[in-house]
Each structure stands twice: as C-alpha cells, then as structure tokens.
Amino acid sequence: DVVVSVHPTMNYIPLFSIRKVAEKFDKEIPFFTVVTDFGSGHCTWFNKDVDRMYLASEPIKAIAQKRGGVPDEKIVMSGLPIRYDFAAQADAMGDRTTDEGKAHQQKIREELNIDPNKKMILVMGGGEGVGSLSSIVNELYAKLRTQGVDATICVVCGRNEQLKGDLETRCWDTVVSQSLNSYASLKSRVVTKLLSAHASRSRRIQAALDRAAAKAAKGRDVAEVPGNVDVIPLGFVKNMAEYMVAADVLVSKAGPGTIAEAAAVGLPIMVTSHLPGQEAGNVDIVLDGGFGDYCEDPETIA
C-alpha cells in the first residue's frame, strides 16, 4: 500500500523500482521518506520525486529545499519518530523539576533497582556500545568519588559484552588512584611552567599549560569523605524510556534518535562525539536548544 524509506541510500533506486512496478500493474504505490537526522543530512536523503518527505527540524527543511529542490507541498514537519514509551513516560512525569515529576522519577528508579536517593548518570555509546565509554566512566567515577558525591552511573554497553564484563570486574580503587596520580603529574608540569615563566613559547603551548594548571588545581580539591558511587553495566536496553526518566543527565554520542528521546523526557544531555557529516548538525540542535553541551575530553566531561 505504501513504501517508507528511513535510510539515505534507499530513496533513488527503490523509488525507481516502485514506479516501474506501479506502471506494470497499473497501481499507485506512494513512496514516503522519513529523514532521521536533525541538523544535517546526506544529500541522498532528498529526492524531490517522492510523494511525501517527513522532516524533524527547520535546518533539515532548509537543506531539503536547497540541495534536493523538494517543494513545500511534499514536506511534512513531523519531528523525529521515537517509541511510544517516551510519550507515555513524558505524560506520566510531566515537568521533571516539579514535585510530581521528582516523585515519578523516584518511582521509576525503585522499579529499576536504582538508589532513589543518589544522583544518576546515564552513559551511552549507541547500540554497539562504542566510543570512549570506558574512559568516560573512569573519569566520572574518579571525579564523583573524590568530590564526595553519592551517585549511580548506569552504563549502556549495548551488544558490547566485552565492555560490560570489564566494567563488572574493574577495580575502581585503582581507577581513583590512577586519576589522582595523573593530577600529581599535572602539578609537576605546572611547577615547570612557573619556573620558566619568562620563556618564549607559542600561544598553543601556553594554552596547553594553562589547561594543565586548571586541571592540577582541580586535583587538589579532594573531599574528606569520599562519595558512594555505584557503577551498573547494562547490556542492550529495551526500556530506555524508563532509564532516561530515572537519570539526571545523559552522556552520549550525537545520535539523532537518542537526542530526540532525551528531549522528549526533558533530560539534559552531554554530547561526547559525533559521526563526521550527518551527525555534526545534531550537536548544534542540542546547543542551540539549550538542553545540553558538547565535549570530547573524558576528564573535562566529568
């Protein structure tokens, strides 16, 4: 009855084939494209000959019209399609900053066996659990522990069973010790900087030294009582809406679906990476929307 494309490589040859089939059998077969990117997209998304094109944002609409010449009458501004679970959870929670929203969040945490009295950080790297997840989790744990913050770090490893097993057996005391040692190394570099204050150096080197000094200063700020931090490695999660409701912040790559899901339940997001090209514009959606930030360095993220 209808053909729906949700991938940029499936909008030209499939449409040509469908038109041939429709001509042969004297049958009208509508062809719709649902563009699953927010801020930028590959040019093969935008075939002006499709019957309808469903778009998620004004930047994508501008690209569709400029690159593909898609006419207004074929464009439907629909937002990004996500699972119904997110709409249901958003309705049940309402504004997460209100008493009602916080009560719903605590209820979901209890259902997920997550301590309702701790902050919860949700860390993701896509379905395959890729990216710098391991380093990010290490830095988060060390920072929360040394700053005296009680928290739960839920790590969605996806199908990356090796990462999940590694996190389950990791010695977290060693992680903290290595982190503190790195601070000590930074302090020694700061001393070198001070001793050579009048040396000639490039702006780039000076900027690097200034960053080292800032990091070393942070290393001195260690709480007397360490934080009680739990790390919960998860496999492939099917109830993501519940975990996003339970979280206080999401740390993830710039996948458009993940961004749409987080926005649906009012969850702030720290974007850690993006695929070159089509995901770059998704970072701008987060920054311009004011519901997150972008950083690639694990230590700075923490």
Side-chain angles (χ1 to χ4, degrees):
D1 295 311
V2 62
V3 176
V4 179
S5 167
V6 294
H7 195 278
T9 63
M10 293 289 110
N11 296 298
Y12 285 87
I13 294 178
L15 177 60
F16 176 81
S17 302
I18 290 299
R19 294 290 187 256
K20 287 293 185 181
V21 171
E23 181 181 341
K24 179 179 180 179
F25 293 97
D26 192 26
K27 180 182 179 181
E28 182 179 355
I29 306 175
F31 191 101
F32 300 161
T33 296
V34 179
V35 179
T36 58
D37 277 309
F38 263 131
S40 56
H42 196 277
C43 60
T44 54
W45 271 120
F46 311 112
N47 186 344
K48 64 182 179 180
D49 295 325
V50 300
D51 297 292
R52 288 286 185 276
M53 186 172 293
Y54 294 84
L55 305 177
S57 69
E58 289 298 328
I60 283 291
K61 180 181 178 181
I63 294 172
Q65 293 180 319
K66 183 177 180 179
R67 291 185 187 173
V70 183
D72 275 329
E73 60 268 20
K74 290 188 176 183
I75 292 177
V76 179
M77 300 302 293
S78 60
L80 208 65
I82 56 177
R83 293 173 64 93
Y84 172 75
D85 295 356
F86 289 91
Q89 286 295 333
D91 289 341
M93 179 174 58
D95 185 343
R96 67 166 54 231
T97 64
T98 63
D99 291 339
E100 293 79 7
K102 293 176 182 178
H104 181 72
Q105 183 187 56
Q106 288 222 336
K107 172 177 173 291
I108 295 299
R109 285 181 178 177
E110 290 170 354
E111 292 176 359
L112 296 173
N113 294 319
I114 296 172
D115 191 332
N117 299 313
K118 293 182 180 180
K119 295 294 184 182
M120 198 276 254
I121 303 166
L122 183 62
V123 184
M124 297 171 52
E128 303 302 323
V130 297
S132 54
L133 279 183
S134 183
S135 297
I136 290 172
V137 174
N138 280 354
E139 292 295 344
L140 284 172
Y141 183 91
K143 180 60 68 66
L144 294 168
R145 180 81 172 163
T146 57
Q147 298 296 302
V149 179
D150 296 341
T152 300
I153 306 172
C154 290
V155 188
V156 180
C157 303
R159 287 176 281 266
N160 192 337
E161 292 295 332
Q162 181 177 349
L163 175 61
K164 183 174 181 290
D166 180 42
L167 291 174
E168 288 172 340
T169 58
R170 184 167 296 179
C171 178
W172 296 106
D173 287 339
T174 301
V175 168
V176 173
S177 175
Q178 290 174 343
S179 179
L180 292 175
N181 287 338
S182 72
Y183 287 135
S185 175
L186 283 169
K187 289 178 185 178
S188 68
R189 279 181 254 165
V190 172
V191 171
T192 301
K193 173 193 172 184
L194 294 174
L195 292 175
S196 58
H198 300 291
S200 176
R201 58 176 67 93
S202 70
R203 292 181 180 178
R204 180 177 297 178
I205 293 175
Q206 183 62 57
L209 289 170
D210 290 341
R211 288 195 298 270
K215 291 179 180 179
K218 290 181 181 179
R220 290 194 296 267
D221 186 18
V222 178
E224 293 183 5
V225 179
N228 183 1
V229 183
D230 302 317
V231 177
I232 303 177
L234 304 168
F236 192 86
V237 174
K238 294 183 178 179
N239 56 336
M240 186 58 70
E242 285 85 349
Y243 275 99
M244 285 196 178
V245 166
D248 292 298
V249 65
L250 171 65
V251 180
S252 176
K253 63 188 286 291
T258 300
I259 292 172
E261 291 166 353
V265 294
L267 179 63
I269 177 171
M270 168 61 77
V271 181
T272 61
S273 63
H274 62 80
L275 294 176
Q278 71 265 28
E279 284 190 352
N282 298 335
V283 177
D284 294 331
I285 293 293
V286 173
L287 297 179
D288 295 342
F291 62 96
D293 208 339
Y294 177 76
C295 182
E296 295 182 354
D297 177 55
E299 186 175 344
T300 307
I301 289 169

